[in-house]
């Protein structure tokens, strides 16, 4: 492995892709980049990367995806999951990316105390669970 | 007292000691030579200062109880929890709106409860701690107040919680808000306040204030005690 | 009188009580009664999508074990998030004996969950067991002329294996509305997520989603939307009302249970809304009183 050719200046890690695969139970390599997930995603317009681009970065083992905002705009609504022609449960991949990001000590945002006084608790339980590594 | 003392072996903070059978964990520790300064209080099971955790031989379970209320057993592994590091969220009763989701706002970690029930199993008062945390989650402060009423604030629930909730502070918050805003007002309290304000006791108080120390002691000894 | 064991969930037990009141009124008219579980805990709201946190299944497993221990073969839910979380956890645990054993070993303060409990949404009970024809026969206040957009959201129909209907072309709410005499309006956003819990982290995303959903409903000619989830209801009422530029998009929402109760002659338990549904109902001859 010592003579591997680097095609990118970014360090890529097959281990990272494998870790996402383990944690999500989904093979990122099934994705053939058709983009149907992002086309139907109600949150794509709020994302810095399309869901298919998140998948792509995972496929090539690019850990910069851990700093992306897109997984935090995903509400696990599963619109992509029911539509993916390759049967990839993309929401599970998004969850794995969120968890790995949290486990590296990243905090995506804080829920405002004053605002949370008026929110239904199921919203708070939902967001708290999503922010628990 | 002719028979010899029956002795048992206990492990306190990792060291073996021979102590007489039948002592509480607290007394066993003192017998072993510990001078308890922190982690001790009323010695009657009310103050919650003497949280302790222990295991019994051949049992994987980690037990939690009050050292002053639990009998030491042979081959018991014992550790004291003299203080529970936990922050009481800053709140002022007068600024809380009982209709709002104030519990989750002040203690957002309540939303992390996974319903594992470890807290209830740790509670020396045998409270249904998880049930009151679940009630707190759904904003049912009456239920929280009722289920947590006998809490002695020992903090063992908080030490065992995988979601890092500080149950006893949550229970206290709910009880305070319930008491201030929701519980029915006590009729006898209002009547007594009325009596005080109308001067019913003024003369008695004046008399007390004129009395010497000896007269006060004498009066105290002779007082009527209601059982 | 038929009875069914019922799991309310935190939302329904708190700010979404009108959803439950409507369901109780309606079921009484249909000779059914919901019996609330004597002890229950939060389902966790969001189903865990990771492979390494069995701990998140402990809460649902405790609910399932208690329901089974009460001698029941099924458990009714109203909230679609509770439905989804409980049903998916049930499937996850029942599918793998080893997993189930591990959770049971942890839950040593409960009777073992043996697997196989059926988690049932009220819509399934109405459609599959009571039957929409029987519902139609009991209608005493037909919702004649009322144009209603069903809003499914996510967890009622997704994923497919834990949904009450086809995830892309569901009809369970439309068919119910037809049985009640209302006119079901097709809209482009009926199965697209409202933002769910993102309302806590990104309220503006939830507002903009609510605007998109309301705009689609109005474009379809709807004057009212129905929901099956307290979080959808919050986003479609409070977040919509707050959204900038929503002044001509103020289409109200109620729980489907409330319309059901109304049509069956019961109290629809309309409480305070940001966007008041009463004028819309009154305009169709369906005046109701608001309970304090």
């Amino acid at each position: 492995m010592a003579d591997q050719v680097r095609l990118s200046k970014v360090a890529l890690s097959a281990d990272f892709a494998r870790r996402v695969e383990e944690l999500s139970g989904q093979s990122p390599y099934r994705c053939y980049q058709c983009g149907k997930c992002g086309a139907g995603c109600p949150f794509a317009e709020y994302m810095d990367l399309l869901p298919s681009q998140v998948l792509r970065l995972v496929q090539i083992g690019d850990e910069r995806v851990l700093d992306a905002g897109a997984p935090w705009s995903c509400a696990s609504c599963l619109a992509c999951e029911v539509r993916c022609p390759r049967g990839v449960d993309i929401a599970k991949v998004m969850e794995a990316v969120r968890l790995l990001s949290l486990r590296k000590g990243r905090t995506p945002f804080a829920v405002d105390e004053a605002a949370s006084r008026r929110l239904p608790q199921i919203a708070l339980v939902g967001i708290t669970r999503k922010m628990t590594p | 007292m002719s028979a010899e003392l029956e002795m048992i072996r206990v492990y306190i903070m990792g060291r073996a000691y021979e102590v007489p059978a039948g002592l509480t964990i607290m007394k066993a520790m003192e017998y072993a030579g510990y001078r308890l300064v922190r982690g001790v209080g009323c010695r009657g099971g009310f103050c919650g200062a003497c949280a302790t955790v222990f295991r019994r031989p051949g049992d994987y379970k980690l037990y939690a109880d009050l050292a002053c209320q639990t009998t030491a057993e042979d081959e018991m592994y014992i550790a004291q929890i003299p203080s529970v590091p936990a922050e009481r969220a800053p709140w002022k009763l007068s600024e809380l709106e009982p209709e709002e989701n104030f519990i989750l706002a002040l203690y957002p970690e309540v939303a992390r409860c996974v319903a594992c029930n470890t807290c209830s199993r740790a509670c020396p008062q045998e409270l249904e701690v998880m049930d009151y945390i679940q009630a707190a989650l759904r904003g049912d402060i009456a239920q929280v107040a009722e289920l947590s009423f006998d809490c002695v604030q020992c903090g063992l629930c908080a030490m065992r919680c995988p979601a890092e909730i500080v149950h006893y502070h949550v229970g206290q918050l709910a009880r305070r808000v319930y008491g201030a805003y929701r519980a029915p007002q006590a009729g006898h309290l209002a009547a007594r306040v009325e009596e005080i304000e109308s001067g019913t006791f003024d003369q008695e108080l004046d008399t007390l204030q004129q009395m010497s120390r000896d007269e006060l002691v004498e009066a105290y000894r002779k007082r009527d005690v209601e059982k | 009188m038929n009875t069914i064991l019922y799991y309310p969930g935190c939302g329904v037990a708190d700010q979404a009580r009108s959803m439950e009141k409507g369901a109780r009124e309606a079921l009484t008219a249909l000779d059914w009664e919901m019996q609330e579980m004597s002890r229950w805990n939060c389902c966790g709201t969001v189903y865990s999508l990771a492979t390494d946190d069995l701990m998140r299944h402990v809460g649902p497993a405790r609910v399932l074990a208690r329901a089974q221990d009460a001698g029941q073969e099924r458990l009714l839910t109203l909230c679609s998030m509770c439905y989804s979380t409980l049903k998916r956890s049930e499937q996850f645990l029942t599918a793998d004996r080893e997993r189930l054993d591990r959770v049971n070993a942890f839950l040593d303060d409960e009777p073992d969950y043996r697997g196989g409990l059926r988690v049932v949404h009220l819509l399934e009970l109405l459609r599959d067991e009571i039957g929409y024809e029987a519902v139609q026969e009991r209608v005493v206040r037909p919702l004649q002329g009322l144009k209603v957009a069903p809003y499914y959201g996510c967890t009622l129909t997704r994923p497919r294996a834990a949904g009450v209907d086809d995830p892309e072309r569901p009809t369970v709410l439309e068919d119910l509305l037809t049985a009640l005499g209302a006119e079901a309006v097709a809209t482009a956003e009926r199965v697209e997520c409202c933002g769910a819990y993102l309302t806590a982290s990104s309220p503006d995303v939830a507002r903009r989603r609510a605007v998109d959903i309301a705009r689609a409903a109005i474009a379809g000619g709807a004057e009212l939307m129905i929901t099956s989830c307290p979080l959808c209801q919050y986003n479609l009422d409070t977040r919509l009302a707050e959204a900038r530029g929503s002044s001509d998009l103020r289409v109200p929402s109620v729980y489907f249970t409330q319309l059901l109760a109304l049509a069956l002659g019961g109290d629809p338990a309309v409480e305070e809304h940001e966007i008041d549904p009463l004028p819309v109902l009154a305009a169709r001859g369906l005046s109701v009183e608001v309970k304090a």
Side-chain angles (χ1 to χ4, degrees):
Chain A
M1 296 296 282
D3 300 324
Q4 64 180 256
V5 179
R6 289 185 186 274
L7 296 177
S8 160
K9 285 181 185 168
V10 179
L12 302 178
S13 158
D15 275 352
F16 174 67
R18 206 171 301 122
R19 189 75 194 98
V20 174
E21 185 170 352
E22 271 171 18
L23 202 47
S24 64
Q26 305 294 306
S27 170
Y29 305 110
R30 290 185 62 82
C31 168
Y32 56 24
Q33 292 290 306
C34 70
K36 197 175 178 183
C37 44
C41 174
F43 306 102
E45 63 180 292
Y46 310 107
M47 291 179 173
D48 51 357
L49 294 172
L50 289 169
S52 54
Q53 291 174 314
V54 171
L55 259 296
R56 183 70 191 134
L57 290 174
V58 171
Q59 284 176 339
I60 63 171
D62 189 338
E63 292 192 40
R64 287 179 304 175
V65 74
L66 296 181
D67 294 319
W72 298 103
S73 294
C74 163
S76 307
C77 80
L78 305 187
C80 51
E81 188 262 356
V82 297
R83 290 165 192 167
C84 176
R86 299 285 292 153
V88 180
D89 192 338
I90 298 151
K92 288 186 173 168
V93 177
M94 289 290 200
E95 182 106 323
V97 172
R98 281 191 295 265
L99 285 170
L100 289 173
S101 177
L102 289 169
R103 289 173 194 181
K104 286 212 159 195
R106 296 182 172 106
T107 320
F109 38 67
V111 177
D112 179 59
E113 190 215 292
S116 64
R117 285 170 190 256
R118 303 198 171 271
L119 282 167
Q121 64 283 83
I122 55 175
L124 294 166
V125 175
I127 195 68
T128 306
R129 293 232 165 180
K130 292 291 176 180
M131 294 201 316
T132 301
Chain B
M1 295 298 280
S2 57
E4 273 190 35
L5 274 181
E6 187 197 338
M7 301 299 278
I8 58 170
R9 184 203 300 268
V10 292
Y11 303 90
I12 300 168
M13 303 291 189
R15 189 178 153 183
Y17 297 93
E18 301 283 328
V19 300
L23 299 182
T24 62
I25 290 175
M26 179 173 283
K27 287 185 176 155
M29 289 185 74
E30 289 176 326
Y31 184 94
Y34 280 84
R35 181 170 165 261
L36 301 176
V37 179
R38 298 288 304 155
V40 63
C42 73
R43 294 173 183 263
F46 290 102
C47 80
C50 60
T52 189
V53 291
F54 56 88
R55 274 198 167 88
R56 299 185 166 105
D59 185 354
Y60 68 86
K61 283 189 178 301
L62 180 65
Y63 294 89
D65 216 323
L66 299 178
C68 73
Q69 295 296 296
T70 311
T71 308
E73 295 166 29
D74 197 28
E75 298 292 314
M76 201 182 235
Y77 294 86
I78 298 164
Q80 287 292 94
I81 313 282
S83 138
V84 174
E87 189 188 14
R88 177 192 173 280
W91 49 264
K92 277 190 186 162
L93 203 47
S94 57
E95 290 168 6
L96 291 176
E97 292 282 339
E99 279 71 36
E100 288 191 340
N101 215 337
F102 61 90
I103 292 180
L104 283 175
L106 291 166
Y107 296 105
E109 61 276 9
V110 166
R112 285 158 49 97
C113 175
V114 289
C116 69
N117 211 28
T118 310
C119 48
S120 307
R121 283 180 276 194
C123 180
Q125 296 291 87
E126 297 178 358
L127 302 180
E128 294 295 353
V129 184
M130 181 189 89
D131 288 28
Y132 84 63
I133 289 299
Q134 287 289 331
L137 191 52
R138 50 188 186 252
D140 187 349
I141 57 168
Q143 178 86 330
V144 183
E146 189 181 332
L147 291 178
S148 72
F149 190 79
D150 288 331
C151 173
V152 294
Q153 311 281 116
C154 70
L156 280 163
C157 45
M159 290 306 286
R160 296 286 283 123
C161 178
E164 294 146 310
I165 297 166
V166 281
H167 317 64
Y168 60 111
H169 284 331
V170 174
Q172 188 190 59
L173 167 62
R175 289 194 302 279
R176 297 281 194 269
V177 175
Y178 181 74
Y181 297 106
R182 292 283 168 79
Q185 298 294 314
H188 63 274
L189 178 64
R192 179 54 54 90
V193 169
E194 172 69 28
E195 281 181 326
I196 293 168
E197 286 177 346
S198 65
T200 311
F201 304 106
D202 287 359
Q203 201 187 340
E204 265 185 274
L205 282 167
D206 287 345
T207 311
L208 282 171
Q209 283 186 321
Q210 306 299 323
M211 286 160 84
S212 71
R213 184 189 159 86
D214 290 345
E215 286 170 328
L216 273 172
V217 170
E218 187 59 22
Y220 181 77
R221 290 211 176 110
K222 283 185 180 167
R223 75 198 188 280
D224 287 333
V225 180
E226 278 183 52
K227 290 281 177 184
Chain C
M1 183 72 82
N2 301 282
T3 60
I4 186 163
L5 192 67
Y6 157 63
Y7 172 85
C10 307
V12 170
D14 187 23
Q15 95 279 358
R17 279 191 208 94
S18 52
M19 185 184 203
E20 180 186 289
K21 286 181 194 155
R24 283 197 190 280
E25 291 270 330
L27 284 178
T28 303
L30 296 164
D31 298 322
W32 275 77
E33 189 188 12
M34 309 190 297
Q35 281 182 341
E36 183 175 330
M37 294 180 77
S38 52
R39 278 174 85 192
W40 54 268
N41 50 264
C42 173
C43 66
T45 308
V46 286
Y47 177 75
S48 173
L49 297 171
T51 55
D52 72 345
D53 59 352
L54 207 53
M55 199 67 190
R56 300 258 178 119
H57 297 279
V58 163
R62 189 182 294 282
V63 171
L64 300 169
R66 284 180 181 169
Q68 200 167 52
D69 188 51
Q72 301 296 310
E73 289 173 1
R74 57 185 183 172
L75 181 61
L76 182 75
T77 63
L78 304 182
C79 162
S80 31
M81 288 183 91
C82 297
Y83 168 77
S84 185
T85 308
L86 291 175
K87 192 166 185 99
R88 294 188 78 183
S89 261
E90 200 294 311
Q91 291 172 344
F92 177 81
L93 295 168
T94 298
D96 185 335
R97 187 77 228 175
E98 194 190 332
R99 217 182 265 153
L100 184 60
D101 288 348
R102 278 170 67 198
V103 169
N104 277 329
F106 182 82
L107 280 171
D108 58 2
D109 55 349
E110 297 286 347
D112 275 0
Y113 178 54
R114 301 184 300 277
L117 190 87
R118 278 206 301 131
V119 177
V120 180
H121 192 274
L122 176 60
L123 285 167
E124 292 176 304
L125 185 78
L126 290 165
R127 179 191 61 190
D128 305 333
E129 190 152 338
I130 297 171
Y132 281 169
E133 279 181 22
V135 172
Q136 193 166 7
E137 283 168 17
R138 302 286 179 102
V139 169
V140 295
R141 282 181 93 178
L143 309 180
Q144 216 66 51
L146 193 64
K147 295 190 173 70
V148 185
Y151 178 69
Y152 285 88
C154 325
T155 53
L156 194 57
T157 61
R158 293 192 293 267
R160 191 180 289 272
V164 304
D165 205 347
D166 184 280
E168 297 286 44
R169 281 170 294 277
T171 61
V172 64
L173 285 173
E174 282 82 352
D175 295 344
L176 176 65
L177 287 168
T178 306
L180 303 181
E183 186 185 328
V185 174
T187 81
E189 294 272 355
R190 66 187 182 135
V191 298
E192 310 298 342
C193 180
C194 66
Y197 54 81
L198 296 181
T199 200
S201 55
S202 321
D204 209 46
V205 169
R207 288 182 197 113
R208 289 166 70 181
R209 284 301 304 144
V211 162
D212 288 345
I213 292 162
R215 186 171 285 132
I218 289 167
E223 52 197 355
L224 184 68
M225 297 190 279
I226 51 169
T227 63
S228 67
C229 166
L231 201 42
C232 297
Q233 178 69 29
Y234 175 81
N235 284 336
L236 293 186
D237 186 45
T238 307
R239 290 305 189 209
L240 178 60
E242 290 168 357
R244 255 174 300 148
S246 69
S247 51
D248 51 352
L249 298 170
R250 293 177 66 87
V251 51
S253 298
V254 293
Y255 296 111
F256 76 92
T257 59
Q258 296 179 281
L259 277 196
L260 183 62
L262 177 60
L264 298 180
D267 174 9
V270 177
E271 291 173 352
E272 218 174 274
H273 276 62
E274 295 294 331
I275 303 175
D276 189 2
L278 294 182
V280 168
L281 294 173
R284 298 291 175 186
L286 298 162
S287 36
V288 293
E289 286 173 29
V290 177
K291 296 275 159 68

